[in-house]
Amino acid sequence: MNLFYNKHGVGDVLMVTIEPTNEGLEYDVQNDITIIKSDDKIVGFNIFNASKYIQIDSNGSIKVEEKHVNSIQDLLEKNNIDFKLDVDLSPKFVVGYVKEKAKHPDADKLSVCQVDVGTGTLQIVCGAPNVDQNQKVVVAKVGAIMPSGMIIKDAELRGLPSSGMICSMKELDLEGAPNEKGIMVLDDSYTVGTPFFEDER
């Protein structure tokens, strides 16, 4: 689930994205809630007069916290909207460890990596020239919102599933990012599975 709020630009409206899509959208209004559907499946909500119902402390993309989930779920139930929010509140940018790296069978410049993120191993297809086995790296897990606004989703790259992204300094919008292509390689002081950004702790 992703939340976006911009009171000055849009008004007192909280935009709740459950599943990012722009295809065949339908809208159903229930009091202060607009239900957004695609193919009869709920993909999001727009909550009007949002500050009456939900504690919002910032503008732009909002880090989803338990208080937001509980407030939105409560509001849905009060408006007889039968939808259960299933939200992963774990950190989305974590320290990973590349356990294995193999050449993609169908793309010379892609590597297929098995990356330990502390809670399990993710298969991530990576195009960085400097990715290698036994590296500690920054992993953006599925559901992460990149500084560019891109949302990380499960994907398939040249026929192979990929869950997450191994990040470069530039993609993380970090100061001093080099112009050369390549992922950010961490030193041994980092612990696998821990949040990379302090505010995700």
Side-chain angles (χ1 to χ4, degrees):
M1 181 172 82
N2 298 298
L3 304 178
F4 185 85
Y5 183 79
N6 184 345
K7 189 166 187 178
H8 301 296
V10 181
D12 191 10
V13 183
L14 180 66
M15 300 175 188
V16 183
T17 303
I18 307 295
E19 228 173 85
T21 180
N22 291 314
E23 296 176 10
L25 297 180
E26 299 168 2
Y27 302 90
D28 182 17
V29 179
Q30 194 100 336
N31 298 318
D32 275 341
I33 304 174
T34 297
I35 305 165
I36 306 168
K37 294 182 179 179
S38 175
D39 292 329
D40 286 331
K41 182 180 180 183
I42 293 177
V43 295
F45 303 98
N46 286 342
I47 300 173
F48 293 83
N49 300 309
S51 58
K52 273 171 50 179
Y53 310 109
I54 298 149
Q55 186 183 333
I56 302 169
D57 304 317
S58 60
N59 271 324
S61 290
I62 296 172
K63 182 189 171 193
V64 181
E65 298 176 28
E66 195 170 352
K67 65 181 180 182
H68 301 126
V69 178
N70 292 340
S71 297
I72 294 167
Q73 188 67 61
D74 186 50
L75 187 60
L76 296 178
E77 288 169 8
K78 284 179 177 171
N79 284 273
N80 298 312
I81 298 170
D82 184 19
F83 186 83
K84 178 72 177 166
L85 295 170
D86 182 15
V87 182
D88 176 12
L89 293 173
S90 66
K92 295 296 181 286
F93 295 90
V94 298
V95 176
Y97 177 75
V98 183
K99 298 196 299 183
E100 295 174 30
K101 171 198 162 185
K103 188 174 171 299
H104 193 296
D106 196 31
D108 288 340
K109 293 186 178 179
L110 295 179
S111 300
V112 183
C113 302
Q114 306 301 323
V115 187
D116 179 4
V117 291
T119 53
T121 299
L122 301 177
Q123 176 167 291
I124 301 176
V125 179
C126 180
N130 66 326
V131 69
D132 211 347
Q133 194 168 326
N134 299 326
Q135 286 175 335
K136 286 184 178 178
V137 295
V138 183
V139 175
K141 292 160 59 180
V142 170
I145 303 174
M146 301 301 293
S148 65
M150 179 178 74
I151 299 170
I152 301 300
K153 297 184 277 187
D154 278 315
E156 198 170 279
L157 297 176
R158 297 297 290 267
L160 289 184
S162 181
S163 296
M165 184 169 81
I166 302 174
C167 303
S168 68
M169 289 182 70
K170 193 172 183 180
E171 287 162 338
L172 294 170
D173 198 25
L174 296 177
E175 229 175 278
N179 290 324
E180 297 82 20
K181 283 187 176 181
I183 55 153
M184 181 181 185
V185 180
L186 304 174
D187 61 42
D188 281 339
S189 67
Y190 288 86
T191 303
V192 173
T194 57
F196 179 69
F197 293 115
E198 286 291 330
D199 63 0
E200 280 208 297
R201 290 186 187 279

